[in-house]
Structures are given as C-alpha cells and as structure tokens.
Amino acid sequence: MKPRIVAICGTRPDAIKTAPVVLELRKYPEVECILVSTGQHREMLAQALSAFGLAPDYDLDIMVHGQTLAQVTTRALEGIDSLLEKLKPQWVLAQGDTTTTFVASLAAFYRQVPVGHIEAGLRTDRIDRPFPEEFNRRAAALVSRLHFAPTSRAAENLIREGMSAASTFVTGNTGIDALHHVAAISEAEWFPEHKGRVVLLTTHRRENWGESQKGIASAVRQLVDDFSDVLLVVPMHRNPIVREALEPILGGHDRIKVIEPPDYMDFVKLMQRSTLILTDSGGVQEEAPTFGVPVLVLRNTTERPEGVHAGVAKLVGTEPTVVLNESRILLTDDDAYKAMAQARSPYGDARACERIRFILLRELGVESPEVPMWT
Ligand code: UD1
Ligand code: UDP
C-alpha cells in the first residue's frame, strides 16, 4: 500500500495555506494525500478551497453558529480520532494556529502518528496573546516531529524552545505559494467605476472584539469623510460577534461597501486594487507586501514582525486617533507612502510547498527533487 498522508484543515486561513501543499504532494503518485476538513468554518472554508479546485475528502462538518472553543475542540477531537483509526496514515499535516490545528496535532499524537506542522514557530511572548492562537501553535509544536518554519526567525523561536535543528526547516510560508497560484488565474475586477482610491479593512481577531473593533470602525468612517476620493471596502467575517460590532457604525454611507467575504480568488484582486490595507488578519499581513500595498496592523503585538522590520507593515494598535492619523499620513504624504509600498515579501518565495514535499517524501523513503531552503 502507498504511504498515506492526511492533511487536516478547518478554517479559511488553514485551508488556503494547506491547499497548495496538497496539490504539490498529489503530483507524486508514490504517496496518497488525503484532505480532511473539520468544518470549523463552513462557507469560508469551501470558498477558500474552491480557489484551488479542491474539496475535502472527508468533512467532519462540526461548525455551529456562535460555537465555543470547547465545542470546537471536543467535536473535532472525536471526529479526527475516528478518522485516524480508519485511515491509518503514516503522517498527519496540520497548519498554523487555529483550534483545528491544535486538535489535529493532539489527535495524531494520541494515535502516535507523526505530525508535520506547517507555519511553525510564530511566537509572541504571552501564551494568551493572541488568544487562543499562541497556545494552539505552541501546543502543536510540542507534539510535532517536523517543524516547517516560514522564516528564519520562526525557526530560531523553535530552536530556543528546544526543538532539534534536524527537525526544523525554513521553508517560507505556503500562503505565498497560494497567493501566486491564485493571482495568476484570478480575473476579478473590482469597482471599475470608482476612479479614486480604495482602502480595505478586515478585522476579526478575538482580542479586538467589542470596544476596539467599534473604535476601528469609527476611525475608518471618519477617514472616508476626510478623503472624498476614498472608497472603503469591508469584507465581513462571518462571525456574528464581528458583524454586530461593525455593521451599525459602517452602514449607510455611500462610499463604504460592507460586503460578504469574497472568495479567495476575488479577494486577492481586491488586495491588488487597494491603496492601503488596514487589518488584524495574520494572512492578509503576509500577503499584502507581495503586491506592494502598505499594511497598518490593527494589533498591539504581532507574531509576524518580519513585515514591520522590512518597513512594509506598521503596527498601529486599535486606538481610533492613532488608526486615523496613521492612515491619513499614508493617504497624504507621498514619501511616507512610497517608503512602505515596496513589492517584496519577507514571508516566502512561493516554493515552500516544494520544500515541504521534499522533506516529507524523504521521510517516507520517496525520492523527489530538492529545493534549497528559504533564507
Ligand atoms: C477562527 C480561528 C482564528 C482564525 C480565524 C480565521 C480559532 C479559535 N479561531 O476564528 O484563529 O484567525 O478563524 O478566520 O481557531 N462562521 C460562519 N461561517 C463560516 C465561518 C464562521 O458562519 O464559514 C461563524 C459561525 O457562527 C462560527 C463563528 O463564525 O461559530 C466563529 O467561528 P470560529 O472558527 O469559532 O472562530 P473565528 O472567529 O472564525
Ligand atoms: N481572505 C479571503 N476573503 C476575505 C478575507 C480574507 O479569502 O474576505 C483570505 C486572505 O487573503 C488570507 C486569509 O483569508 O489568505 C486570511 O484569513 P483570516 O483573515 O480569516 O485569518 P487569519 O489569517 O487572521 O488567521
């Protein structure tokens, strides 16, 4: 029987970043790669995978509206455990830092199946920031046999925690592979009738729920009033808590488009169409520099400091006056804008999936072309 790899995803970002790995592994008929979704996300996961022509081979379909962390954890753990018993894989792959990632790695550990952790080693200095993602990724690292770090900084974090150098590889982020794959085929055209600038806002993080998110919304509404050529586009995360905070403040303005989340194929073009992006999303922070679009990060800390150090992203927090002022500067000061608008990614070269494929297949005794590690 062929060696079997089970790749597990559950949310929009882990689907986007797992999909190109699955496509790469499926080029090698010596192994079988099965895609499992916990269904932690439903519509948003389907949208993400469809950009790659993929659908899960198994879908645990666990999502309920307003789900708690404990509900996601217990339902996913039972479902993944049953599947691992049935599929008996040689390896499990889990991506990132969602509850699905944590549970997938735990379930594999309990069944003594080795885990490869994609996007390993992102860290802040507090286990509860971001909550619960910092815990999820640290826990996944504890039980993983292979750590696929997106950057050398992430690899250093892992080594500092005691992971062996022999198990830790700097691959680049598979999200950059995904981005290149999709940008090359997407044909979406956004707001051709609008001749002015587009500012894009996404916000969904738990630590910004409530007053912070309302403050962000008030700041960007003021920004639109201050700049008559600006169209603000706000794709709404499906989480009802996010919608309740944003909709009352952002609704009813003719230059604010509050829209359903576009699928990944279209969203990539929306990022390209934007002059400025304000976000608390991890994935969007990583993607925007590829297109040379400056990013203001709506958080007080980030586990992705590479963009800030490269000068393509700026950490501004959620204080409304600061968000407004930093946005104004970029919309009025050409030099400040040009300094940030550099099309270079500190997160990868779009070959992360090839590196992961080489390392994993080597573990399985299957030869395949080697790619030098990302630096
Ligand atoms: C989750 C992740 C977070 C990640 C984010 C990406 C955890 C604990 N959180 O947060 O790390 O950054 O996804 O988007 O893993 N919903 C739908 N349809 C969907 C998706 C969500 O209706 O397709 C609604 C449901 O009511 C669901 C709620 O959103 O109960 C929350 O989903 P959940 O995955 O628990 O949390 P997120 O905030 O999406
Ligand atoms: N994304 C998307 N549609 C949207 C918003 C985001 O396809 O309306 C993509 C985005 O390009 C990135 C990923 O979703 O690849 C990020 O997901 P999200 O912000 O939900 O999660 P995070 O990265 O913060 O965990």
Side-chain angles (χ1 to χ4, degrees):
M1 231 179 37
K2 286 181 187 185
R4 181 175 274 172
I5 300 159
V6 168
I8 304 178
C9 63
T11 67
R12 174 167 67 191
D14 34 74
I16 288 169
K17 291 170 173 177
T18 301
V21 181
V22 171
L23 292 180
E24 176 65 22
L25 289 170
R26 287 187 177 169
K27 290 179 190 164
Y28 293 81
E30 299 91 332
V31 296
E32 184 185 16
C33 181
I34 295 179
L35 180 60
V36 170
S37 165
T38 59
Q40 177 178 339
H41 282 178
R42 188 172 290 148
E43 307 87 344
M44 284 164 51
L45 182 115
Q47 279 185 317
L49 289 179
S50 71
F52 303 87
L54 288 173
D57 300 302
Y58 295 88
D59 187 353
L60 300 172
D61 195 23
I62 64 163
M63 196 195 90
V64 290
H65 283 292
Q67 60 204 5
T68 64
L69 295 175
Q71 279 173 327
V72 177
T73 303
T74 50
R75 287 157 63 89
L77 187 62
E78 282 194 345
I80 296 173
D81 184 57
S82 304
L83 267 183
L84 293 182
E85 186 180 26
K86 176 176 150 153
L87 297 172
K88 299 193 174 24
Q90 275 64 50
W91 278 89
V92 161
L93 289 177
Q95 196 284 333
D97 56 16
T98 64
T99 296
T100 288
T101 315
F102 158 59
V103 173
S105 55
L106 179 66
F109 179 68
Y110 283 164
R111 290 260 167 209
Q112 296 185 287
V113 180
V115 177
H117 184 202
I118 303 168
E119 199 186 67
L122 275 60
R123 294 290 183 272
T124 67
D125 57 6
R126 279 188 56 165
I127 191 76
D128 60 349
R129 290 221 185 128
F131 174 84
E133 290 83 2
E134 182 71 16
F135 165 78
N136 289 338
R137 57 193 173 221
R138 288 198 207 183
L142 279 177
V143 297
S144 290
R145 183 89 59 89
L146 289 173
H147 310 274
F148 301 118
T151 64
S152 51
R153 172 182 290 265
E156 282 158 20
N157 290 337
L158 290 160
I159 303 287
R160 207 177 309 119
E161 284 173 12
M163 309 306 160
S164 72
S167 68
T168 305
F169 301 89
V170 182
T171 59
N173 198 307
T174 61
I176 303 301
D177 299 37
L179 191 64
H180 282 256
H181 177 93
V182 166
I185 50 179
S186 175
E187 291 177 346
E189 212 188 330
W190 285 94
F191 311 115
E193 73 292 350
H194 175 69
K195 301 301 169 213
R197 294 178 285 186
V198 168
V199 174
L200 174 63
L201 167 69
T202 82
T203 168
H204 71 81
R205 296 230 81 82
R206 269 184 162 69
E207 66 264 30
N208 283 345
W209 285 358
E211 288 314 306
S212 295
Q213 231 157 31
K214 289 181 190 164
I216 293 166
S218 308
V220 293
R221 187 167 176 125
Q222 183 62 48
L223 187 74
V224 178
D225 285 336
D226 291 354
F227 291 87
S228 60
D229 71 317
V230 163
L231 182 73
L232 176 72
V233 186
V234 188
M236 298 284 275
H237 193 284
R238 286 194 181 270
N239 195 322
I241 295 170
V242 175
R243 294 183 168 214
E244 276 159 31
L246 297 183
E247 271 169 342
I249 301 172
L250 295 175
H253 194 297
D254 60 353
R255 281 182 293 110
I256 300 180
K257 304 275 182 207
V258 178
I259 59 174
E260 288 303 318
D263 65 27
Y264 184 51
M265 190 83 91
D266 294 348
F267 187 77
V268 165
K269 287 287 170 193
L270 180 54
M271 283 192 285
Q272 286 180 278
R273 170 74 175 88
S274 302
T275 297
L276 173 64
I277 299 178
L278 285 79
T279 192
D280 60 17
S281 159
V284 176
Q285 259 177 86
E286 291 158 350
E287 291 166 342
T290 296
F291 301 132
V293 183
V295 180
L296 296 180
V297 180
L298 303 167
R299 295 180 54 192
N300 295 316
T301 52
T302 179
E303 59 286 302
R304 293 167 169 91
E306 293 88 348
V308 178
H309 294 153
V312 293
K314 190 165 181 185
L315 207 54
V316 298
T318 58
E319 189 56 46
T321 50
V322 179
V323 172
L324 185 57
N325 279 338
E326 294 290 347
S327 306
R328 272 190 189 134
I329 291 170
L330 290 174
L331 293 181
T332 49
D333 180 339
D334 260 7
D335 291 338
Y337 186 85
K338 278 188 197 133
M340 283 186 79
Q342 306 159 42
R344 64 158 197 260
S345 174
Y347 297 108
D349 61 353
R351 303 197 73 184
C353 297
E354 291 173 80
R355 297 187 179 102
I356 291 169
R357 176 263 303 149
F358 170 74
I359 296 158
L360 200 56
L361 264 54
R362 186 175 60 186
E363 289 288 323
L364 291 165
V366 176
E367 272 184 42
S368 72
E370 184 169 4
V371 181
M373 286 301 125
W374 158 252
T375 48

